[in-house]
């Protein structure tokens, strides 16, 4: 295959170094404050079904895609995309630019963690009570008051006010720490992660064991694990499960492509992806046990006071959980300062490798494109990241952070980018090349089903989520970009501005000439120009069908509200058109032995995949209504039910046997792996 490079760029020292770095990127704040809360909110133990389906159907296949792309091209995302098809470089840049936006705010949250860690150390040394400590409902208010008023100087608007120098100092420390982790290149990162990944794991296990052994912990676990099966019938549950997997595995921002580009030429791909997916899941699940058992113990203690605080009074996701509810709960227990230190240290070490993984992916993107020196780009980038971070430490900074994060990690950023990545690689490139590339060096092989997962199954799911959330966003009360009183909703306008500018910058970047190119490389897709007309007629037909179905869907979307029954037939018709164009288009592509083929067929594939997802989204929108109410947990008993124990055992069995099997394949297939790698 012409596109495989013979050269070896700088690499991770060991296989373990790479796995830990990728796990470090995946395991972050999302595991600790995203997963447990979503599980609690969307069906308790029942949520695990869509979540596990999402890991196996989307998470691991997409990890394999990103790893094989990075590994095959040995370049960061933009250049990697350019090498499979020079017109798709912008997809890589798009992810990198949104990744850059993430590194303006992710370190701000880490700065909070460092501050709270220092408050805990102060508590340990001086033996004074923690500044957020307090009892009963007053204690909860005190914890809120401490975080929002005293620490953040928060006002519930989007004003800036004055800079909080205490946070700024921590932000500077965070950036300096990140700088020193990555300034020497991935070889050093591969060593640092031996500290930043196992250490928070160890802390999490300690926190979990302590939580589970406290009186009253079962109360919390009931909230966490008791399944509410009816939630499974709500598509929203599925939507959140898929979204969480995507974010948690750091997909779509080019991070995993970049990390894999530093892999050794002979390195495994499939097994690594499975190990990383399962390790991320294990961390999320165990973090949930730690959090809910501690909240349960807190509720138990508060029962003895005049103002009992049940778990549902304090439980929340995001910063509210990490900086209010959990610190409050810890402050109720013996050894509060020590345990708070352990918690914030865990949070900081969990987050820092996620933060520097994104920095690395932006850095590698720029370095691969411009040929500039890493030692010059990194300080400049860190400085700009730091300056932009100041934006989030004003009075309304947390609101800005939430809004912008919502855009990047929601529909407009992550779902759309993932969709684009799949359709571009699935249809504009011969995806089987990537599959073979991965299989040739992996401990176990993936079948042809994977091609269809990338071409159709995953993009249809992501597309459905995309169109569906789009509908929800725009039908939000008072409008999305306008406020109820008719004025502009400035934060949403800024958010949408960022996500709209990203593709424009991405396209511009892709037009700039890449300075550093190696001689071996040829752009594969335009090889053999004479073949380009092959299957034009069939391709043209399928593309026309795809466009027709798209037109029908747009008309239905515009008119959906009054009567669905009538439009139902049209949706079915559009669906049939989309599927037919998909079949004809794929048939045209299939006849080719080379990667080049009629462009119509490629576009037909992309368009009809989008159409199928739009049709599904319309159906879901109709059946679910506009707004979703969060589930209420019916807590009936004092004890965990048999079902919860079964769920616990299944999850642990899945994690232990899954990881065990992966490690077994990794150790037994070494010899085979070497032979197959030599074939390349
Ligand atoms: N996966 C990280 C988390 O769970 C966040 C992240 C997203 C990191 C995207 C890198 C890229 O917190």
């Amino acid at each position: 295959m012409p596109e495989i490079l013979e050269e070896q760029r700088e690499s991770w020292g060991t296989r373990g170094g790479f796995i830990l770095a990728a796990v470090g990127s995946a395991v972050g704040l999302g595991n600790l404050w995203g997963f447990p809360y979503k599980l609690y909110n969307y069906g308790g133990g029942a949520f695990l079904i869509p979540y596990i389906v999402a890991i196996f159907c989307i998470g691991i296949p997409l990890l394999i895609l990103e790893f094989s792309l990075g590994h095959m091209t040995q370049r960061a995302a933009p250049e990697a995309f350019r090498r499979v098809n020079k017109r798709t470089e912008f997809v890589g840049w798009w992810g990198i630019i949104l990744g850059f936006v993430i590194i303006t705010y992710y370190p701000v949250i880490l700065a909070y963690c460092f501050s709270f860690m220092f408050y805990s150390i102060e508590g340990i040394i001086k033996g004074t009570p923690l500044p957020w400590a307090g009892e009963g409902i007053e204690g909860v208010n005190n914890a809120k008051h401490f975080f929002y008023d005293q620490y953040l100087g928060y006002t519930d608007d989007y004003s800036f006010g004055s800079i909080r120098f205490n946070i700024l100092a921590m932000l500077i420390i965070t950036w300096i720490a990140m700088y020193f982790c990555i300034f020497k290149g991935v070889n050093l990162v591969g060593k640092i992660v031996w500290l930043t990944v196992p250490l928070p794991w160890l802390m999490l296990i300690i926190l979990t064991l302590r939580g589970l052994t406290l009186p009253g912990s079962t109360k919390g676990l009931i909230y966490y694990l008791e399944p509410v099966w009816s939630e499974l019938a709500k598509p929203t549950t599925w939507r959140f499960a898929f979204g969480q997997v995507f974010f948690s595995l750091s997909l779509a921002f080019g991070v995993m492509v970049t990390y894999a580009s530093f892999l050794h030429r002979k390195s495994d791909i499939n097994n690594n992806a499975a190990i990383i997916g399962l390790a991320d899941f294990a961390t999320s699940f165990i973090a949930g046990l730690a959090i809910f058992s501690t909240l349960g113990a807190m509720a138990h203690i508060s029962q003895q006071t005049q103002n009992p605080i049940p778990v549902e009074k304090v439980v929340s996701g995001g910063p509210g959980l990490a900086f209010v509810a959990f610190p409050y709960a810890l402050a109720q227990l013996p050894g509060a300062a020590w345990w708070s230190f352990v918690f914030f240290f865990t949070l900081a070490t969990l987050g820092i490798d996620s933060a520097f993984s994104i920095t690395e992916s932006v850095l590698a993107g720029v370095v691969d494109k411009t040929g500039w020196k890493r030692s010059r780009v990194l300080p400049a980038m860190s400085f700009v990241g730091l300056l932009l971070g100041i934006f989030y430490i004003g009075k309304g900074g947390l609101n800005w952070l939430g809004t912008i994060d919502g855009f990047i990690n929601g529909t407009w950023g992550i779902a759309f980018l993932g969709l684009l990545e799949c359709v571009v690689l699935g249809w504009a490139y011969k995806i089987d090349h990537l599959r073979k590339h991965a299989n040739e060096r992996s401990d176990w092989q993936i079948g042809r089903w994977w091609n269809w997962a990338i071409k159709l199954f995953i993009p249809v799911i992501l597309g459905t989520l995309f169109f569906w959330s789009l509908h929800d966003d725009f039908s939000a009360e008072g409008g999305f970009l306008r406020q109820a009183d008719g004025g502009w909703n400035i934060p949403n306008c800024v958010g949408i501005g960022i996500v709209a500018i990203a593709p424009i910058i991405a396209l511009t970047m892709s037009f700039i000439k890449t300075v550093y190119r190696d001689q071996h490389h040829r752009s594969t897709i335009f090889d053999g120009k004479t073949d380009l007309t092959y299957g034009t007629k069939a391709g043209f037909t399928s593309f026309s069908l795809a466009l027709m179905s798209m037109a029908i869907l747009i008309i239905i979307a515009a008119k959906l509200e009054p009567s669905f029954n009538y439009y139902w037939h049209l949706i079915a018709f559009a669906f049939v058109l989309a599927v037919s164009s998909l079949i004809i288009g794929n048939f045209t592509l299939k006849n080719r032995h080379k990667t080049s083929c009629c462009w119509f067929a490629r576009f037909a594939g992309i368009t009809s995949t989008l159409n199928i997802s739009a049709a599904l989204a319309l159906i879901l929108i109709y059946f679910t209504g506009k707004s979703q109410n969060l589930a209420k947990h019916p807590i009936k008993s004092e004890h965990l039910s048999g079902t919860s124990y079964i769920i616990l055992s299944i999850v642990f069995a899945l994690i232990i046997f899954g990881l065990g099997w992966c490690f077994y394949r990794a150790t037994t297939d070494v010899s085979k792996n070497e032979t197959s790698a030599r074939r390349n």
Side-chain angles (χ1 to χ4, degrees), residues 25-31 102 106 247-251 253 255 354 357-358 409:
S25 170
V27 169
L29 303 175
N31 298 60
I102 298 184
Y106 208 92
F247 174 72
S248 193
L249 287 178
S250 311
L251 295 165
F253 296 112
V255 173
S354 298
S357 72
I358 319 178
N409 283 314

PDB file of all heavy atoms in Angstrom, residues 25-31 102 106 247-251 253 255 354 357-358 409, ligand 1:
ATOM      1  N   SER A  25      -5.872  10.155  28.514  1.00  0.00           N
ATOM      2  CA  SER A  25      -6.672  11.136  27.795  1.00  0.00           C
ATOM      3  C   SER A  25      -8.158  10.843  27.967  1.00  0.00           C
ATOM      4  O   SER A  25      -8.970  11.732  28.192  1.00  0.00           O
ATOM      5  CB  SER A  25      -6.297  11.108  26.315  1.00  0.00           C
ATOM      6  OG  SER A  25      -7.212  11.868  25.584  1.00  0.00           O
ATOM      7  N   ALA A  26      -8.498   9.557  27.860  1.00  0.00           N
ATOM      8  CA  ALA A  26      -9.917   9.184  27.938  1.00  0.00           C
ATOM      9  C   ALA A  26     -10.470   9.418  29.340  1.00  0.00           C
ATOM     10  O   ALA A  26     -11.546   9.970  29.522  1.00  0.00           O
ATOM     11  CB  ALA A  26     -10.075   7.719  27.535  1.00  0.00           C
ATOM     12  N   VAL A  27      -9.702   8.979  30.328  1.00  0.00           N
ATOM     13  CA  VAL A  27     -10.186   9.083  31.699  1.00  0.00           C
ATOM     14  C   VAL A  27      -9.951  10.506  32.195  1.00  0.00           C
ATOM     15  O   VAL A  27      -8.824  10.958  32.294  1.00  0.00           O
ATOM     16  CB  VAL A  27      -9.430   8.075  32.593  1.00  0.00           C
ATOM     17  CG1 VAL A  27      -9.724   8.337  34.045  1.00  0.00           C
ATOM     18  CG2 VAL A  27      -9.834   6.659  32.224  1.00  0.00           C
ATOM     19  N   GLY A  28     -11.042  11.205  32.441  1.00  0.00           N
ATOM     20  CA  GLY A  28     -10.884  12.595  32.880  1.00  0.00           C
ATOM     21  C   GLY A  28     -12.079  13.008  33.712  1.00  0.00           C
ATOM     22  O   GLY A  28     -12.743  12.165  34.324  1.00  0.00           O
ATOM     23  N   LEU A  29     -12.348  14.303  33.690  1.00  0.00           N
ATOM     24  CA  LEU A  29     -13.450  14.805  34.511  1.00  0.00           C
ATOM     25  C   LEU A  29     -14.768  14.143  34.113  1.00  0.00           C
ATOM     26  O   LEU A  29     -15.648  13.930  34.943  1.00  0.00           O
ATOM     27  CB  LEU A  29     -13.549  16.322  34.354  1.00  0.00           C
ATOM     28  CG  LEU A  29     -12.273  17.072  34.721  1.00  0.00           C
ATOM     29  CD1 LEU A  29     -12.404  18.555  34.413  1.00  0.00           C
ATOM     30  CD2 LEU A  29     -11.950  16.878  36.197  1.00  0.00           C
ATOM     31  N   GLY A  30     -14.884  13.820  32.823  1.00  0.00           N
ATOM     32  CA  GLY A  30     -16.113  13.191  32.326  1.00  0.00           C
ATOM     33  C   GLY A  30     -16.434  11.890  33.052  1.00  0.00           C
ATOM     34  O   GLY A  30     -17.603  11.555  33.254  1.00  0.00           O
ATOM     35  N   ASN A  31     -15.406  11.156  33.471  1.00  0.00           N
ATOM     36  CA  ASN A  31     -15.657   9.885  34.163  1.00  0.00           C
ATOM     37  C   ASN A  31     -16.174  10.114  35.565  1.00  0.00           C
ATOM     38  O   ASN A  31     -16.975   9.348  36.068  1.00  0.00           O
ATOM     39  CB  ASN A  31     -14.365   9.073  34.269  1.00  0.00           C
ATOM     40  CG  ASN A  31     -13.819   8.725  32.921  1.00  0.00           C
ATOM     41  OD1 ASN A  31     -13.517   9.611  32.130  1.00  0.00           O
ATOM     42  ND2 ASN A  31     -13.727   7.451  32.624  1.00  0.00           N
ATOM     43  N   ILE A 102     -11.260  23.732  23.762  1.00  0.00           N
ATOM     44  CA  ILE A 102     -11.325  22.973  25.020  1.00  0.00           C
ATOM     45  C   ILE A 102     -10.142  23.325  25.922  1.00  0.00           C
ATOM     46  O   ILE A 102     -10.298  23.493  27.124  1.00  0.00           O
ATOM     47  CB  ILE A 102     -11.347  21.447  24.765  1.00  0.00           C
ATOM     48  CG1 ILE A 102     -12.587  21.067  23.971  1.00  0.00           C
ATOM     49  CG2 ILE A 102     -11.327  20.674  26.086  1.00  0.00           C
ATOM     50  CD1 ILE A 102     -12.756  19.582  23.754  1.00  0.00           C
ATOM     51  N   TYR A 106     -10.601  23.794  29.906  1.00  0.00           N
ATOM     52  CA  TYR A 106     -10.364  22.591  30.731  1.00  0.00           C
ATOM     53  C   TYR A 106      -9.358  22.880  31.860  1.00  0.00           C
ATOM     54  O   TYR A 106      -9.593  22.512  33.013  1.00  0.00           O
ATOM     55  CB  TYR A 106      -9.878  21.468  29.816  1.00  0.00           C
ATOM     56  CG  TYR A 106     -10.203  20.049  30.269  1.00  0.00           C
ATOM     57  CD1 TYR A 106     -11.356  19.395  29.865  1.00  0.00           C
ATOM     58  CD2 TYR A 106      -9.329  19.350  31.100  1.00  0.00           C
ATOM     59  CE1 TYR A 106     -11.638  18.094  30.265  1.00  0.00           C
ATOM     60  CE2 TYR A 106      -9.602  18.049  31.502  1.00  0.00           C
ATOM     61  CZ  TYR A 106     -10.754  17.425  31.071  1.00  0.00           C
ATOM     62  OH  TYR A 106     -11.020  16.141  31.475  1.00  0.00           O
ATOM     63  N   PHE A 247     -17.641  11.357  24.337  1.00  0.00           N
ATOM     64  CA  PHE A 247     -16.834  12.359  25.023  1.00  0.00           C
ATOM     65  C   PHE A 247     -15.772  11.683  25.884  1.00  0.00           C
ATOM     66  O   PHE A 247     -14.614  12.079  25.912  1.00  0.00           O
ATOM     67  CB  PHE A 247     -17.732  13.233  25.908  1.00  0.00           C
ATOM     68  CG  PHE A 247     -16.949  14.187  26.761  1.00  0.00           C
ATOM     69  CD1 PHE A 247     -16.326  15.287  26.197  1.00  0.00           C
ATOM     70  CD2 PHE A 247     -16.816  13.977  28.125  1.00  0.00           C
ATOM     71  CE1 PHE A 247     -15.594  16.165  26.980  1.00  0.00           C
ATOM     72  CE2 PHE A 247     -16.079  14.855  28.913  1.00  0.00           C
ATOM     73  CZ  PHE A 247     -15.470  15.951  28.331  1.00  0.00           C
ATOM     74  N   SER A 248     -16.201  10.612  26.560  1.00  0.00           N
ATOM     75  CA  SER A 248     -15.296   9.992  27.507  1.00  0.00           C
ATOM     76  C   SER A 248     -14.097   9.351  26.806  1.00  0.00           C
ATOM     77  O   SER A 248     -13.015   9.296  27.373  1.00  0.00           O
ATOM     78  CB  SER A 248     -16.055   8.950  28.323  1.00  0.00           C
ATOM     79  OG  SER A 248     -15.290   8.567  29.420  1.00  0.00           O
ATOM     80  N   LEU A 249     -14.298   8.881  25.584  1.00  0.00           N
ATOM     81  CA  LEU A 249     -13.161   8.247  24.905  1.00  0.00           C
ATOM     82  C   LEU A 249     -12.338   9.254  24.095  1.00  0.00           C
ATOM     83  O   LEU A 249     -11.490   8.863  23.300  1.00  0.00           O
ATOM     84  CB  LEU A 249     -13.646   7.104  24.019  1.00  0.00           C
ATOM     85  CG  LEU A 249     -14.107   5.858  24.790  1.00  0.00           C
ATOM     86  CD1 LEU A 249     -14.608   4.788  23.839  1.00  0.00           C
ATOM     87  CD2 LEU A 249     -12.970   5.279  25.636  1.00  0.00           C
ATOM     88  N   SER A 250     -12.571  10.531  24.311  1.00  0.00           N
ATOM     89  CA  SER A 250     -11.816  11.603  23.622  1.00  0.00           C
ATOM     90  C   SER A 250     -11.845  11.446  22.111  1.00  0.00           C
ATOM     91  O   SER A 250     -10.840  11.685  21.433  1.00  0.00           O
ATOM     92  CB  SER A 250     -10.357  11.641  24.063  1.00  0.00           C
ATOM     93  OG  SER A 250     -10.232  11.626  25.446  1.00  0.00           O
ATOM     94  N   LEU A 251     -13.001  11.029  21.584  1.00  0.00           N
ATOM     95  CA  LEU A 251     -13.067  10.834  20.136  1.00  0.00           C
ATOM     96  C   LEU A 251     -13.361  12.167  19.444  1.00  0.00           C
ATOM     97  O   LEU A 251     -13.849  13.094  20.069  1.00  0.00           O
ATOM     98  CB  LEU A 251     -14.164   9.815  19.805  1.00  0.00           C
ATOM     99  CG  LEU A 251     -13.877   8.406  20.330  1.00  0.00           C
ATOM    100  CD1 LEU A 251     -15.125   7.541  20.317  1.00  0.00           C
ATOM    101  CD2 LEU A 251     -12.781   7.743  19.502  1.00  0.00           C
ATOM    102  N   PHE A 253     -11.732  14.762  18.366  1.00  0.00           N
ATOM    103  CA  PHE A 253     -10.911  15.983  18.379  1.00  0.00           C
ATOM    104  C   PHE A 253      -9.488  15.719  17.894  1.00  0.00           C
ATOM    105  O   PHE A 253      -8.600  16.528  18.091  1.00  0.00           O
ATOM    106  CB  PHE A 253     -10.884  16.599  19.775  1.00  0.00           C
ATOM    107  CG  PHE A 253     -12.236  17.070  20.217  1.00  0.00           C
ATOM    108  CD1 PHE A 253     -12.899  16.455  21.250  1.00  0.00           C
ATOM    109  CD2 PHE A 253     -12.854  18.117  19.560  1.00  0.00           C
ATOM    110  CE1 PHE A 253     -14.155  16.875  21.653  1.00  0.00           C
ATOM    111  CE2 PHE A 253     -14.121  18.547  19.951  1.00  0.00           C
ATOM    112  CZ  PHE A 253     -14.767  17.924  20.993  1.00  0.00           C
ATOM    113  N   VAL A 255      -7.371  13.698  19.037  1.00  0.00           N
ATOM    114  CA  VAL A 255      -6.411  13.309  20.067  1.00  0.00           C
ATOM    115  C   VAL A 255      -5.915  11.880  19.828  1.00  0.00           C
ATOM    116  O   VAL A 255      -4.699  11.621  19.820  1.00  0.00           O
ATOM    117  CB  VAL A 255      -7.060  13.388  21.474  1.00  0.00           C
ATOM    118  CG1 VAL A 255      -6.133  12.833  22.524  1.00  0.00           C
ATOM    119  CG2 VAL A 255      -7.438  14.813  21.799  1.00  0.00           C
ATOM    120  N   SER A 354      -5.791  14.392  30.419  1.00  0.00           N
ATOM    121  CA  SER A 354      -6.766  14.690  29.361  1.00  0.00           C
ATOM    122  C   SER A 354      -6.425  16.046  28.764  1.00  0.00           C
ATOM    123  O   SER A 354      -6.441  16.226  27.549  1.00  0.00           O
ATOM    124  CB  SER A 354      -8.186  14.755  29.926  1.00  0.00           C
ATOM    125  OG  SER A 354      -8.546  13.527  30.468  1.00  0.00           O
ATOM    126  N   SER A 357      -3.364  15.930  26.614  1.00  0.00           N
ATOM    127  CA  SER A 357      -3.545  15.170  25.371  1.00  0.00           C
ATOM    128  C   SER A 357      -4.135  16.068  24.282  1.00  0.00           C
ATOM    129  O   SER A 357      -3.766  15.970  23.115  1.00  0.00           O
ATOM    130  CB  SER A 357      -4.440  13.953  25.594  1.00  0.00           C
ATOM    131  OG  SER A 357      -5.789  14.330  25.785  1.00  0.00           O
ATOM    132  N   ILE A 358      -5.036  16.952  24.685  1.00  0.00           N
ATOM    133  CA  ILE A 358      -5.611  17.850  23.667  1.00  0.00           C
ATOM    134  C   ILE A 358      -4.539  18.845  23.226  1.00  0.00           C
ATOM    135  O   ILE A 358      -4.407  19.144  22.037  1.00  0.00           O
ATOM    136  CB  ILE A 358      -6.843  18.616  24.197  1.00  0.00           C
ATOM    137  CG1 ILE A 358      -7.725  17.709  25.049  1.00  0.00           C
ATOM    138  CG2 ILE A 358      -7.642  19.186  23.044  1.00  0.00           C
ATOM    139  CD1 ILE A 358      -8.925  18.408  25.641  1.00  0.00           C
ATOM    140  N   ASN A 409     -18.938  20.058  23.204  1.00  0.00           N
ATOM    141  CA  ASN A 409     -19.142  18.647  23.516  1.00  0.00           C
ATOM    142  C   ASN A 409     -20.555  18.177  23.238  1.00  0.00           C
ATOM    143  O   ASN A 409     -20.923  17.067  23.576  1.00  0.00           O
ATOM    144  CB  ASN A 409     -18.797  18.380  24.976  1.00  0.00           C
ATOM    145  CG  ASN A 409     -17.308  18.336  25.145  1.00  0.00           C
ATOM    146  OD1 ASN A 409     -16.623  17.701  24.350  1.00  0.00           O
ATOM    147  ND2 ASN A 409     -16.802  19.030  26.129  1.00  0.00           N
TER     148      ASN A 409
HETATM  149  N1  LIG B   1     -12.178  12.237  27.754  1.00  0.00           N
HETATM  150  C1  LIG B   1     -11.958  13.342  28.616  1.00  0.00           C
HETATM  151  C2  LIG B   1     -12.840  13.227  29.855  1.00  0.00           C
HETATM  152  O1  LIG B   1     -13.542  12.271  30.035  1.00  0.00           O
HETATM  153  C3  LIG B   1     -12.204  14.671  27.982  1.00  0.00           C
HETATM  154  C4  LIG B   1     -11.571  14.874  26.655  1.00  0.00           C
HETATM  155  C5  LIG B   1     -12.361  15.152  25.566  1.00  0.00           C
HETATM  156  C6  LIG B   1     -10.202  14.790  26.497  1.00  0.00           C
HETATM  157  C7  LIG B   1     -11.802  15.316  24.323  1.00  0.00           C
HETATM  158  C8  LIG B   1      -9.620  14.939  25.257  1.00  0.00           C
HETATM  159  C9  LIG B   1     -10.426  15.216  24.166  1.00  0.00           C
HETATM  160  O2  LIG B   1     -12.863  14.106  30.667  1.00  0.00           O
END
